[in-house]
Amino acid sequence: MKFSIIPLSRPLTRLLHTSTRCLSHENPLGLPARGSIPRFQRGLPQKRPIPKVSHIIAVSSAKGGVGKSTIAANLALAFSRLGHRTGILDTDLFGPSIPTLFNLNDAPRLNENNQLIPLTNYGVKTLSIGYLLPSESAPIVWRGPLLLKALQQLLHEVDWSPGLDILVLDLPPGTGDIQLSITQQIPLDGAVVVTTPHTLAIKDAIKGIGMFAQTKVPVLGVVQNMSLFCCPHCNGTTAVFGGQEAVRQQVCEEHGLEFLGDVPLHPNIGEDGSRGKPTVVAEPESDRAKVFMDVARRLGEKIGLGDPQ
């Protein structure tokens, strides 16, 4: 019996779509084969620093829908506004948000060493698997091994030249393969846990704290998001997702963590992100932006970020 190869319906113009490499599980992002793509090994992998990156922090929530990516994007922009050379890496492979938040959608180019060159906006270097998808709505339907290979390439096959003072990692929700692989593959200065005052979000935040404890990654503190809503008509405040003290007591005090900041529930924060111009850029003098700036300053002190270069 003879088999014929069915031609693809349209040219594969993006780096992601190199089918033979995807099937081999060696090169899911379609980088040229002569690159130095790390391979899986038995036992725990040896941690390798990301070249030209001085400090790395991870922003985690362990639960979806609490505004983690919005917090990560605004923190990265706050670090940049403070004068630090800043990048953000979107490691949420199933639901990348950085392309929308930074209003970027071009496919990244490759340098002479076959490394991905980040896209830049608002002074922050960014990289996301979302830049490599054929469309914004295209899903990634991959099993674990292929996901982890893609993650390895995002961590180790990116050119952050001329260098970064700090790289912010936007982690996916949960405490699974991606989070574990990141903590095992690269040295992290620490993690920031994002939660809302809602009971379910707090329970998952505590699980995330436990994950970092098991992987020996210091938790730098907790950011409470969507805490109070201030009515623009009567100026009254409402704790939409529960009392403000729950996060301080159940998360911070019981686990010995610092409460880094309290981000209010404000429609402008969501609208700013939706149009690709986060609050720190869109409304730099607002009280909301000042919260992100204060959190960035505190984090810089905790990890020894130093003065801007």
Side-chain angles (χ1 to χ4, degrees), residues 35-83:
S36 57
I37 301 168
R39 296 176 178 271
F40 283 125
Q41 61 189 47
R42 292 184 177 181
L44 292 178
Q46 183 178 2
K47 288 186 179 181
R48 293 190 295 154
I50 298 178
K52 301 177 183 178
V53 175
S54 299
H55 298 277
I56 308 172
I57 63 170
V59 179
S60 171
S61 66
K63 187 173 187 64
V66 300
K68 166 191 54 63
S69 294
T70 298
I71 299 293
N74 277 287
L75 284 180
L77 291 164
F79 282 122
S80 178
R81 191 178 170 198
L82 291 172

Side-chain angles (χ1 to χ4, degrees), residues 263-278:
V263 181
L265 177 62
H266 196 285
N268 285 14
I269 295 178
E271 291 173 3
D272 291 340
S274 296
R275 61 190 179 96
K277 196 173 183 180

Side-chain angles (χ1 to χ4, degrees), residues 62-63 66 195-207 241:
K63 187 173 187 64
V66 300
T195 185
T196 70
H198 194 280
T199 300
L200 297 180
I202 289 174
K203 288 181 179 295
D204 281 352
I206 293 172
K207 293 176 184 176
F241 295 110

Side-chain angles (χ1 to χ4, degrees), residues 31-233:
L31 297 178
R34 60 189 178 89
S36 57
I37 301 168
R39 296 176 178 271
F40 283 125
Q41 61 189 47
R42 292 184 177 181
L44 292 178
Q46 183 178 2
K47 288 186 179 181
R48 293 190 295 154
I50 298 178
K52 301 177 183 178
V53 175
S54 299
H55 298 277
I56 308 172
I57 63 170
V59 179
S60 171
S61 66
K63 187 173 187 64
V66 300
K68 166 191 54 63
S69 294
T70 298
I71 299 293
N74 277 287
L75 284 180
L77 291 164
F79 282 122
S80 178
R81 191 178 170 198
L82 291 172
H84 301 292
R85 299 173 301 172
T86 307
I88 185 167
L89 177 60
D90 191 349
T91 66
D92 191 347
L93 304 186
F94 288 118
S97 301
I98 296 307
T100 298
L101 290 167
F102 280 82
N103 195 28
L104 293 167
N105 56 18
D106 294 331
R109 296 179 293 109
L110 297 174
N111 67 7
E112 63 277 7
N113 296 318
N114 299 323
Q115 294 176 311
L116 293 163
I117 300 176
L119 305 181
T120 302
N121 202 5
Y122 311 126
V124 174
K125 292 180 178 292
T126 76
L127 193 65
S128 169
I129 201 170
Y131 300 149
L132 303 171
L133 297 175
S135 70
E136 186 177 354
S137 60
I140 289 182
V141 189
W142 289 352
R143 294 186 183 275
L146 201 54
L147 284 171
L148 296 183
K149 280 294 182 181
L151 177 65
Q152 285 183 313
Q153 290 181 312
L154 289 174
L155 292 175
H156 299 295
E157 293 295 319
V158 179
D159 181 9
W160 295 105
S161 297
L164 298 179
D165 298 318
I166 184 165
L167 176 64
V168 177
L169 303 184
D170 180 17
L171 267 58
T175 57
D177 284 350
I178 298 294
Q179 293 86 345
L180 183 61
S181 296
I182 288 172
T183 58
Q184 291 177 344
Q185 288 191 38
I186 59 174
L188 293 172
D189 289 77
V192 177
V193 173
V194 179
T195 185
T196 70
H198 194 280
T199 300
L200 297 180
I202 289 174
K203 288 181 179 295
D204 281 352
I206 293 172
K207 293 176 184 176
I209 292 168
M211 175 195 70
F212 289 120
Q214 291 186 29
T215 54
K216 296 180 172 55
V217 173
V219 176
L220 302 172
V222 178
V223 174
Q224 179 172 241
N225 193 25
M226 296 185 278
S227 55
L228 281 181
F229 171 72
C230 181
C231 177
H233 304 291

Side-chain angles (χ1 to χ4, degrees), residues 252-304:
C252 295
E253 293 181 9
E254 293 185 13
H255 295 86
L257 299 175
E258 181 176 348
F259 186 86
L260 293 171
D262 199 347
V263 181
L265 177 62
H266 196 285
N268 285 14
I269 295 178
E271 291 173 3
D272 291 340
S274 296
R275 61 190 179 96
K277 196 173 183 180
T279 298
V280 169
V281 175
E283 303 175 286
E285 301 306 319
S286 66
D287 291 339
R288 300 170 293 284
K290 290 176 182 178
V291 173
F292 293 119
M293 297 298 296
D294 290 342
V295 173
R297 289 189 188 93
R298 183 65 189 123
L299 289 172
E301 294 172 358
K302 292 175 78 72
I303 65 175

